[in-house]
Amino acid sequence: MNIATIGTSTITERFVDAIGKTDVLTFAGAYSRTADKAEKLGAPRIFTDFNELADDASIDVVYIASPNSLHFEQALLLMKHKKHIICEKPMFSTSLELAEAFKTADDNGVFLFEAFRNLYTPNHERLKNAIAKVGPLRHSFLQYMKYSSRYDNVLAGEEPNIFSPKFSGGALVDLGVYPISLAVSLFGKPEKVTAHMTMLPTGVDGSGSVILDYGTHTCTTMFSKITDSYLPGEISGENGTITLDHVAPISSIELTERRSGQKEQLAVQEEENDMMYEAEAVASAIKSNNREMYKHYRNISEIVIHITEEARKQNNIVFAAEAE
């Protein structure tokens, strides 16, 4: 299948590299308003007219990595032109946009996947299979905290896209979705969501925590784009504890048995560019029309956006897409 990309950031460069490692995708084109930026990706064809990309029948799939607030409009037009979509997280600004987009996908017989790269890896599957070994779950802690160079712009009085409500930015939707999506993949939909944010003068969060209440199990997720953290993640049950080095990518999964103290390493060595697993899995699902897999990841996207929407509501974070 032929795939085109939208966006020219580092994440797009990594995805293009991942495409080259798959057997089911061929990098066929790149869209950018500025041709020289798209040329740096090494695309066989450059699109500077969005409608031209949408009209090109040779393009089967489009990977969207534009600013968050542009995802919805771009995805809808492309799906109406019968193109499958892999959209960077956060896929859309609101649950209403998500619902409309999935309906558009269904109406046009195409797939719409959110690019939760951390959920497609071999070590994610190993972590998921290990949960039962720790017994009844009681508490888990998952985090993604990484200082953003764009925060320096905020400190200088500017409003970069990633920290702007106009572009649906903030730490929650940029980094928080990694631990939150992992929690949803492992534990399902929480019964209650409680969120606390550190707000920036731009109107979005710079860091925060979202507590997911599962009744007999509490999962604390933390995220930040204004600090770094080197804390490991933990999943604790009555019979043992799983320690993981990070949520994306997961390179170490250590299981400690409570009674004996015995430790077991469960992780395997993964490819350096873990986006390869995402690209391969999604493309294979599209090619084989794997509706069961599609339903699984679609459900995760729906739960995650309702969590982030509730978290933003509790902290009075309103995106321009909602205010209009």
Side-chain angles (χ1 to χ4, degrees):
M1 292 185 297
N2 290 329
I3 185 168
T5 60
I6 298 176
T8 54
S9 64
T10 302
I11 195 71
T12 308
E13 294 175 359
R14 282 177 55 81
F15 190 79
V16 169
D17 176 71
I19 291 171
K21 301 178 185 300
T22 74
D23 297 325
V24 286
L25 289 173
T26 300
F27 185 35
Y31 166 79
S32 176
R33 290 174 297 176
T34 308
D36 60 343
K37 289 185 178 181
E39 287 171 359
K40 293 179 181 179
L41 295 173
R45 185 173 178 188
I46 304 299
F47 298 93
T48 55
D49 184 323
F50 193 80
N51 289 318
E52 185 182 357
L53 169 61
D55 289 335
D56 192 326
S58 70
I59 302 297
D60 305 299
V61 188
V62 179
Y63 168 77
I64 299 176
S66 53
N68 300 343
S69 61
L70 304 181
H71 293 176
F72 180 63
E73 182 180 350
Q74 291 175 341
L76 247 61
L77 179 59
L78 292 167
M79 290 190 293
K80 288 175 181 177
H81 284 73
K82 312 301 181 184
K83 302 199 187 308
H84 304 283
I85 301 297
I86 305 172
C87 187
E88 265 306 326
K89 53 76 198 162
M91 190 148 63
F92 303 119
S93 301
T94 68
S95 57
L96 290 176
E97 287 185 352
L98 186 75
E100 184 176 345
F102 275 133
K103 183 180 185 304
T104 301
D106 293 342
D107 290 345
N108 288 275
V110 295
F111 285 92
L112 171 61
F113 278 97
E114 189 162 10
F116 289 133
R117 63 182 175 86
N118 55 326
L119 305 187
Y120 293 93
T121 65
N123 281 335
H124 169 267
E125 193 64 22
R126 284 177 164 257
L127 175 61
K128 194 169 186 176
N129 291 337
I131 297 297
K133 297 182 179 181
V134 300
L137 295 179
R138 295 305 179 211
H139 190 266
S140 51
F141 169 73
L142 304 170
Q143 64 90 6
Y144 199 142
M145 303 186 211
K146 185 174 178 60
Y147 189 96
S148 169
S149 60
R150 296 292 183 182
Y151 181 51
D152 295 339
N153 298 86
V154 175
L155 294 175
E158 301 171 14
E159 188 175 298
N161 292 353
I162 199 63
F163 288 114
S164 172
K166 298 176 185 176
F167 290 93
S168 305
L172 169 66
V173 296
D174 187 55
L175 295 187
V177 291
Y178 281 113
I180 291 172
S181 64
L182 181 58
V184 170
S185 176
L186 296 175
F187 315 128
K189 182 179 180 180
E191 297 177 8
K192 182 181 178 182
V193 174
T194 306
H196 303 276
M197 310 288 191
T198 298
M199 297 298 295
L200 300 179
T202 59
V204 298
D205 60 300
S207 65
S209 62
V210 174
I211 299 174
L212 307 176
D213 186 346
Y214 289 93
T216 57
H217 164 219
T218 300
C219 178
T220 301
T221 65
M222 296 185 70
F223 44 89
S224 177
K225 290 182 72 67
I226 59 176
T227 59
D228 290 322
S229 177
Y230 306 96
L231 291 172
E234 280 195 345
I235 300 172
S236 301
E238 293 182 4
N239 298 332
T241 298
I242 297 170
T243 306
L244 54 152
D245 61 329
H246 206 286
V247 297
I250 301 170
S251 301
S252 174
I253 307 168
E254 187 174 74
L255 172 64
T256 303
E257 206 278 332
R258 183 181 63 79
R259 293 179 180 85
S260 66
Q262 183 176 348
K263 299 180 182 296
E264 180 184 5
Q265 179 58 238
L266 303 176
V268 295
Q269 181 70 42
E270 294 183 343
E271 293 287 338
E272 183 177 354
N273 185 349
D274 63 336
M275 295 184 81
M276 182 202 80
Y277 302 111
E278 168 190 80
E280 182 80 37
V282 170
S284 297
I286 293 171
K287 190 173 183 179
S288 64
N289 194 34
N290 189 335
R291 309 298 300 186
E292 184 176 350
M293 175 184 168
Y294 179 52
K295 182 179 179 180
H296 171 73
Y297 287 103
R298 175 171 172 162
N299 184 56
I300 291 176
S301 290
E302 290 170 341
I303 295 172
V304 169
I305 200 167
H306 279 98
I307 291 171
T308 58
E309 205 167 50
E310 173 61 24
R312 289 193 297 106
K313 181 180 178 181
Q314 291 179 17
N315 289 268
N316 299 313
I317 299 173
V318 181
F319 292 154
E322 298 168 295
E324 294 173 354

